[in-house]
Amino acid sequence: MLHQHSDQRAASWLCVCIMLFVCATAASAQQLEHKHESRLIPSHLVRFELVLGRLQLSPEYFRIGAAHERAILSGDRERVRSISVSVMRGKPTLQFQDRGGDETWNVTFKSDHLVDILFSSGTGAERQILTYHQPVEGPISVKVEYGDGRTTQQVQSRSLWHIAFNEPEFFETHLQPMLMRLDPSWDVARITAEARGLLNKPVHPSEAAAVRALVEKLDSSTGSERYAANVELERLGLAAELPMRECLKAELSHQQRLAIEKLLAAMQPVGNDTPMRLAVWMSPDASSSK
């Protein structure tokens, strides 16, 4: 009899454990799905980059012929999310649509970095429509229209970062959520804060003098001295960029100018912007010399 009760208790505990495991698995799956849905597009199909304040697609993720569509239940409504990469007039184009519920996305990326994004949210008086246009060349324009008849806001600037620096309230309200939806790993608030701090920190005179001394050695008659100066300037990286650009305004030998231009070209970003890159790029001195 005692043995029978023990078996019953063991069976009951086994049932409880199985139920707990099923519940935990379901909760984990739900969390994973929620995390997955926080991205605008599944990461295995496309990756966005933000280079010198302009949106673009990482080339290795731009797969011709890629297509994906899925239906997502959002409350009592069904929303359809689709992505496709096609070729039009010899150039690849990515088209993303997310329609249904109270939000609609329509995103077009082309290989030459022309980007158009139309995002609408809410209904009736609460409706907001954001139109983002990034031409191949020239300034980015962002327009926000309101369903309650309020005046349309429109901002035009050289880049997203220029909007962040010059129109912080507009950027945080309208563009920051859009960027975080494109790629939740972007901590744009931290990037802009750190870049502002670095931008307000002038180059120390001794640092500029050290760079000028290295630039002089780039014209040395000794090959080993020229090589050592080049290596040191390369090691200094972005910290030497502004002083080197200042040196370009002075009289230089062909050898010096060629070496500096090669070093500066190598400093161009190959991926997402960093606070240091932004501080150098957003500097008035850097802007006037480009």
Side-chain angles (χ1 to χ4, degrees):
M1 191 71 160
L2 184 62
H3 180 69
Q4 185 178 1
H5 285 308
S6 298
D7 288 345
Q8 288 176 345
R9 281 198 298 271
S12 298
W13 274 110
L14 180 62
C15 289
V16 170
C17 290
I18 290 172
M19 289 177 65
L20 288 172
F21 175 76
V22 169
C23 291
T25 304
S28 299
Q30 189 175 9
Q31 289 174 359
L32 184 64
E33 179 68 15
H34 177 72
K35 184 178 180 180
H36 174 77
E37 292 307 329
S38 68
R39 290 189 64 88
L40 184 60
I41 296 177
S43 60
H44 68 283
L45 284 174
V46 66
R47 192 180 80 204
F48 298 100
E49 291 180 346
L50 190 55
V51 181
L52 292 183
R54 294 173 72 85
L55 287 169
Q56 64 182 50
L57 292 171
S58 179
E60 64 267 26
Y61 281 78
F62 212 111
R63 300 174 186 171
I64 306 302
H68 178 79
E69 183 167 323
R70 65 182 301 189
I72 304 162
L73 285 176
S74 179
D76 58 347
R77 299 181 183 178
E78 183 180 77
R79 61 192 308 154
V80 178
R81 176 173 294 183
S82 65
I83 173 176
S84 64
V85 180
S86 58
V87 177
M88 185 178 292
R89 295 179 183 175
K91 292 185 177 181
T93 297
L94 180 140
Q95 185 74 32
F96 170 80
Q97 289 184 324
D98 185 353
R99 54 193 184 278
D102 294 336
E103 286 189 357
T104 301
W105 287 86
N106 197 315
V107 182
T108 302
F109 273 85
K110 294 189 177 179
S111 58
D112 49 12
H113 306 321
L114 183 148
V115 182
D116 281 311
I117 298 176
L118 180 66
F119 169 59
S120 63
S121 63
T123 56
E126 300 298 321
R127 185 175 175 81
Q128 288 189 23
I129 300 174
L130 181 144
T131 306
Y132 173 93
H133 176 63
Q134 177 183 294
V136 179
E137 294 180 353
I140 289 168
S141 63
V142 186
K143 182 172 70 173
V144 180
E145 302 170 79
Y146 300 93
D148 61 0
R150 278 185 287 161
T151 306
T152 298
Q153 292 186 37
Q154 189 159 2
V155 174
Q156 191 175 64
S157 194
R158 178 181 170 188
S159 76
L160 281 165
W161 297 123
H162 284 80
I163 298 175
F165 277 62
N166 302 325
E167 304 280 350
E169 187 176 346
F170 181 88
F171 180 84
E172 289 170 13
T173 303
H174 300 293
L175 290 176
Q176 189 165 300
M178 181 190 82
L179 293 174
M180 297 301 286
R181 187 75 182 273
L182 288 173
D183 190 338
S185 68
W186 286 340
D187 190 351
V188 289
R190 177 190 60 81
I191 290 174
T192 51
E194 287 186 19
R196 279 194 186 96
L198 291 166
L199 187 61
N200 294 328
K201 182 183 177 183
V203 176
H204 195 277
S206 62
E207 295 171 352
V211 170
R212 285 196 298 270
L214 289 168
V215 169
E216 286 180 15
K217 291 180 181 179
L218 291 175
D219 200 32
S220 171
S221 58
T222 307
S224 59
E225 193 169 15
R226 292 197 304 271
Y227 176 77
N230 195 87
V231 169
E232 181 60 17
L233 286 168
E234 192 174 35
R235 186 192 67 79
L236 288 171
L238 292 173
E241 182 170 354
L242 286 182
M244 279 199 293
R245 291 193 183 280
E246 281 298 313
C247 289
L248 284 175
K249 298 175 184 178
E251 287 189 19
L252 297 172
S253 69
H254 176 71
Q255 187 168 262
Q256 285 172 308
R257 190 169 295 277
L258 199 64
I260 290 175
E261 287 175 351
K262 188 176 179 180
L263 285 164
L264 291 174
M267 290 177 184
Q268 291 304 305
V270 292
N272 284 320
D273 292 331
T274 62
M276 175 63 97
R277 171 71 259 175
L278 281 182
V280 171
W281 185 61
M282 295 290 288
S283 166
D285 292 337
S287 300
S288 62
S289 62
K290 291 186 182 181

